[in-house]
Each structure stands twice: as C-alpha cells, then as structure tokens.
Amino acid sequence: MTMDERVGELARIRGEAVEAAPKATEAQHAKGKLTARERIELLLDAGSFREVEQLRRHRATGFGLEAKKPYTDGVITGWGTVEGRTVFVYAHDFRIFGGALGEAHATKIHKIMDMAISAGAPLVSLNDGAGARIQEGVSALAGYGGIFQRNTRASGVIPQISVMLGPCAGGAAYSPALTDFVFMVRETSQMFITGPDVVKAVTGEEITQNGLGGADVHAETSGVAHFAYDDEETCIAEVRYLLSMLPANNREKPPRTASADPADRRCDALLDLVPLDGSRPYDVSEVIEELVDDGDYMEVHERWAGSIVTALARLDGDVVGIVASQPRVLAGVLDIHASEKAARFVQLCDAFNIPLVTLVDVPGFLPGVDQEHGGIIRHGAKLLYAYCNATVPRVQVILRKAYGGAYIVMDSRSIGADLSFAWPANEIAVMGAEGAANVVFRRRIAAAEDPDALREQLVKEYKAELMHPYYAAERGLVDDVIDPADTRTALIGALAMLRAKHAVLPSRKHGNPPQ
C-alpha cells in the first residue's frame, strides 16, 4: 500500500469518526438539540479546534459491546481558542451510547483535564450524557472518580465551566457541581442524582424530569445552576462572554480591555436612584448599571437568593466582582441562601485574582425559626470566612444602611476591606434607631406619660448621637464620605492603587471553612 493510499484510508476513517450515526444526528436535531461537534463549533473560534484521540475505541466485551466499537467512544476532546485565548473542551456525543461514560470515554476526559491543568487554561465541558455505561460496570464508576478527583485538583487553579445540554443523572451531575459555573438550557437539560422513576418507586412522588431537575428548578430553587437560557446558541454565546472576563489560570489577572467609558464620568443618576428613606426599596441593579463600563455586567445566580446580587463587570476596562445588597427583595437581608451565594462568589473572585466591590444596604440577617434551625449561623459564617480569607483588592461602599453583624460580614474595614466609602445618607449601627431606642430606653418609655412621644424623641437623639453619616468616618471605620455621583471615579482610583496589592499569608495546608 502506498503512502497516498494510507492517507486516503486515514481520511476515510476520520470521516467515519466525524460523520458517525447519521440517523442519530437526525434524532438529535429532531429534539431541537445540536450535535457535540456543532456545539464545539459555536464555542470556539472558527477553525481553531484541535481534536485529541479522535480514533479512540473501547476495549470492553460482553453485552454486545465487542460488536460495537465506534470511534471517539462517545466523547469529543481537544482544545481551541475563544477570542484568541486557549480553551480546552470535552463534549459528550449523545449519538454514541447516549453519551454514557465507559472506561475509554473516561480516560479521554482524564487526559484533556490533565492537559488543561498543565497548560493553565480554562476547561469547558459540554454535558449531554446518560451517566455511567452500565455494560462496563465498576470500570465506568471508577472513570467518574477520576473526573471528580481532577475537578477538585483544578479547583481554584483554572476556570471550570459546565454546560448542561441534555439529561445528566448520577455521576454525570456531580462533576458539574464541582466546577465554577453551571449553565443550563430550558426544556433540554436536566440534572438529578436519581431520576423521576426512582423517585416514584422510593417515595411515591410523581414528577417530570424538568420538574425534578430542569433549568428553572436549579436556577431558582436549588441554586445548582448559575445561568439558564432558552436555547443552546444563546447559552454557548454567554459561555464565550464569561470566558472573556476570566483569567486563564490563578497565576494571571483577568484580561483587560480598552474602555470608551470615561473613568471620571459622573454618575448623577445615583442621586435619585437610592431613596433617602431607608425603608423604601429600590433596584440595586440600576446602581450597578450606572457604575460599570457601558452599563454592561454579567449577573451570576441571578434568579437564586435574590436579596443579594453577584456580578462580573468592568471598571475602566478591568474586571471586578460585585457583591451588592438588593433592597428590592426581602429589604436586602442576608439569609441562608444569600450568604451561601455571596460566599462562593467571593471565593471564586479571590481564587482568580478578581478585585471585589461590595455595595452595602443591609438591615441585618433574616430572623426566624426556619433560618435559625436551618443553620443561619454557620451559613452566614461562610460569607464571613470568604471575605476574611480573600487577598484580592477589596473596596466597600455603604449606600444607605448597614446594621449589626451583617454590616461586619459585608466586607467592613474590620474584616480586611482595603478601603471603605460611604454615601452621605449612610447609617451604620448595631441596629435601627427604633429598635435600639426600644432596647436601650425600654424602662423610660414604659414609665412615660406619653410613651410614643418619648420614643420618637429618643429615636431622634439616638440617630443624632450614634447614627449620623460621619460617625464611622470620625472613628476611621470609613475612609471617606463621598458624593454618590463620584462613586465610579472613587472605585476606579482605589482599584488602580490596589492593583499591585500583595498579601502575606500564614503557612498552612488549607483552612477549615464552616460547612
């Protein structure tokens, strides 16, 4: 056989690998789903994909497997670029074994994960697999174990993004839960440990796949999904956008872009966006939009734990992480879910050298038996631990009120914020004036001829003495009281000064954060 014939043979085999299962391709499209290769083409820059182990085949026997040995073994692995930056990817191919994971399939994923860690580049998984390949037994389970171990080893080292594009159960759901971000598509992607049939058999409850583990469930109720979209094209486009704001690894800073939005732009709209009356709600998203470059930001966990907002944005071209109280939801209180949401976001930003801006308007932690019994103490401590442990530049802005332990937890100077700014209407105190007066002057009020009049008088005295806007600044707990319109300029200047911040940490294997 000549070399030309050998090359022809190679082309034929490659064509077989790429065009596998044409009927299965039609079935995938009939469900409104793209194939694995079509998804990779959307994710990566045109022509940049380099596939690894395209010709891999399984070696399993029994249950008819020896007669069915398709190339790729149901997973496509390789690397390419997103906006010119290297990204590694693996994509389950549902057309082959339903994307189920076997020994060879897992080994391919292990290899690409090891390559991503060694190269110091992000890893994106396009998940559309039916779990472990039952015919391969414990070998398939061991394959999942190898993925989980590598997910953990890569955590905080390279960005890991999981994109859910089909039903993923059991082990196929655990790996995404170990990664930094989870994207889902409505109606076509689901995640659950045990499916509806098992749930019905064990508990008697009847529920659909989407009702049990669909995109909306995980985006709103469980908090497993950070993002949910209506179609694959939009979802993958947003993955590309997210990658544009993340560094390649923990040794680099996020990519900087030139900004046409002036650094010294005044934000006069802020004077009207936030009401002076601390009991009146407003949408902090409008404040964020006014502050960041071109009003453009990417909210993380937008539909879960709505009393706090976490978002990635740019200030003068530099990426920042924003944590903001949301007075529109539960008056902006910190509850169990809000604490968890913010804590993990703070940890993510700290791991990948993303400075933190915290916008504070918090009345405290949510009271109640359910919250206390649900562990608000340890969950709130997660956010406290995350901030205390963070070494990236940290700037706090107190927009309006900051009461009690929630003030401390929301990145106060006392737990290590580099700078704290406050607007002129700020109220920083152990609690609101009305509550404080009722506690401190309880006996005087009870003995008064006109309790209501005395209470009103004492509330005013308490506010004048301990809650005036300059009380914290006079004691060095706030670095400056600023005009709200100057907030963008103040933040950009502060972060520019802190750009070279270096923290010396004590020697330890790792901390033991609250669980």
Side-chain angles (χ1 to χ4, degrees):
M1 184 177 284
T2 66
M3 182 59 73
D4 282 345
E5 290 173 326
R6 290 290 188 188
V7 171
E9 181 184 40
L10 173 62
R12 178 185 59 77
I13 291 173
R14 288 199 185 282
E16 184 179 336
V18 171
E19 301 299 332
K23 289 185 178 179
T25 299
E26 292 177 11
Q28 187 86 337
H29 287 161
K31 296 175 184 176
K33 296 167 65 176
L34 301 174
T35 66
R37 294 188 184 278
E38 289 168 341
R39 291 163 176 166
I40 290 173
E41 287 177 5
L42 284 176
L43 174 68
L44 301 176
D45 297 338
S48 69
F49 182 54
R50 296 294 178 266
E51 190 169 350
V52 176
E53 295 194 356
Q54 183 185 67
L55 306 183
R56 186 72 177 254
R57 304 163 94 175
H58 72 75
R59 298 175 293 180
T61 58
F63 304 101
L65 285 177
E66 63 274 8
K68 188 178 181 182
K69 292 188 171 184
Y71 293 111
T72 75
D73 199 48
V75 65
I76 300 167
T77 60
W79 76 90
T81 60
V82 173
E83 296 186 4
R85 302 165 68 221
T86 299
V87 172
F88 287 81
V89 61
Y90 69 85
H92 298 130
D93 192 341
F94 197 82
R95 302 173 304 165
I96 298 173
F97 298 127
L101 182 139
E103 183 181 20
H105 181 122
T107 303
K108 288 181 66 175
I109 295 175
H110 297 168
K111 179 173 182 176
I112 209 66
M113 294 179 80
D114 289 338
M115 291 175 69
I117 295 168
S118 296
L123 174 70
V124 177
S125 61
L126 303 175
N127 298 273
D128 188 6
R133 196 174 300 169
I134 298 171
Q135 301 95 318
E136 295 195 32
V138 71
S139 296
L141 295 179
Y144 271 125
I147 293 173
F148 303 157
Q149 192 268 342
R150 286 167 174 81
N151 283 139
T152 305
R153 185 151 53 90
S155 181
V157 178
I158 58 171
Q160 299 180 85
I161 299 173
S162 298
V163 189
M164 315 310 293
L165 300 164
C168 297
Y174 274 125
S175 175
L178 290 169
T179 61
D180 299 305
F181 298 98
V182 176
F183 287 72
M184 295 188 74
V185 177
R186 293 184 182 91
E187 302 303 322
T188 59
S189 64
Q190 299 88 30
M191 294 173 68
F192 33 70
I193 300 304
T194 55
D197 293 340
V198 176
V199 170
K200 182 179 179 181
V202 174
T203 70
E205 298 172 287
E206 293 193 20
I207 193 166
T208 64
Q209 284 195 342
N210 279 320
L212 182 64
D216 289 328
V217 168
H218 287 311
E220 295 177 9
T221 306
S222 73
V224 170
H226 300 79
F227 307 96
Y229 299 100
D230 290 331
D231 58 80
E232 293 189 25
E233 291 83 356
T234 303
C235 180
I236 293 173
E238 290 298 297
V239 173
R240 284 179 58 90
Y241 178 51
L242 175 60
L243 284 166
S244 75
M245 291 195 285
L246 298 175
N249 55 65
N250 64 341
R251 300 183 303 276
E252 298 182 8
K253 292 185 182 296
R256 193 179 194 283
T257 61
S259 175
D261 195 344
D264 59 354
R265 170 174 59 81
R266 280 180 58 83
C267 302
D268 292 308
L270 294 177
L271 299 171
D272 299 318
L273 282 177
V274 180
L276 284 176
D277 182 355
S279 64
R280 288 181 57 195
Y282 62 93
D283 188 351
V284 79
S285 297
E286 296 179 358
V287 175
I288 296 171
E289 188 175 336
E290 183 66 23
L291 289 174
V292 302
D293 290 356
D294 303 310
D296 190 21
Y297 64 94
M298 187 175 199
E299 188 169 347
V300 179
H301 266 145
E302 180 180 0
R303 297 164 62 198
W304 182 60
S307 65
I308 202 159
V309 172
T310 53
L312 293 170
R314 284 190 168 88
L315 284 171
D316 197 29
D318 287 315
V319 177
V320 296
I322 297 173
V323 178
S325 307
Q326 176 55 290
R328 192 180 65 174
V329 179
L330 295 174
V333 297
L334 287 173
D335 62 5
I336 287 173
H337 288 159
S339 298
E340 286 188 316
K341 170 180 170 177
R344 192 154 194 273
F345 183 76
V346 168
Q347 289 174 168
L348 171 95
C349 291
D350 188 51
F352 293 113
N353 308 310
I354 300 172
L356 286 160
V357 172
T358 305
L359 306 179
V360 184
D361 189 350
V362 62
F365 283 92
L366 181 64
V369 174
D370 289 344
Q371 288 290 307
E372 295 294 347
H373 288 185
I376 185 63
I377 294 172
R378 62 185 173 86
H379 290 290
K382 292 177 183 178
L383 180 54
L384 183 60
Y385 187 100
Y387 268 125
C388 289
N389 205 43
T391 60
V392 291
R394 292 154 51 189
V395 182
Q396 178 197 52
V397 183
I398 299 169
L399 307 184
R400 201 165 56 172
K401 58 187 176 296
Y403 295 158
Y407 153 68
I408 300 172
V409 169
M410 288 291 284
D411 205 19
S412 64
R413 283 294 308 276
S414 59
I415 65 169
D418 296 294
L419 287 168
S420 177
F421 299 120
W423 287 4
N426 78 83
E427 292 183 355
I428 306 172
V430 175
M431 62 178 66
E434 289 77 8
N438 287 334
V439 172
V440 176
F441 308 112
R442 181 176 63 253
R443 292 180 180 176
R444 284 181 61 187
I445 292 171
E449 292 183 6
D450 187 346
D452 291 338
L454 180 60
R455 181 185 293 108
E456 184 178 348
Q457 175 192 335
L458 292 173
V459 165
K460 290 180 180 178
E461 290 178 5
Y462 185 88
K463 281 187 174 182
E465 183 69 23
L466 295 176
M467 294 181 64
H468 63 80
Y470 307 101
Y471 184 85
E474 290 170 359
R475 284 152 182 79
L477 297 174
V478 165
D479 292 286
D480 199 7
V481 179
I482 62 173
D483 179 345
D486 293 331
T487 305
R488 172 178 164 84
T489 303
L491 287 172
I492 290 172
L495 293 173
M497 177 274 293
L498 292 165
R499 193 169 289 138
K501 176 185 175 182
H502 174 71
V504 179
L505 298 176
S507 178
R508 63 179 176 183
K509 187 175 181 181
H510 56 72
N512 186 25
Q515 296 297 323

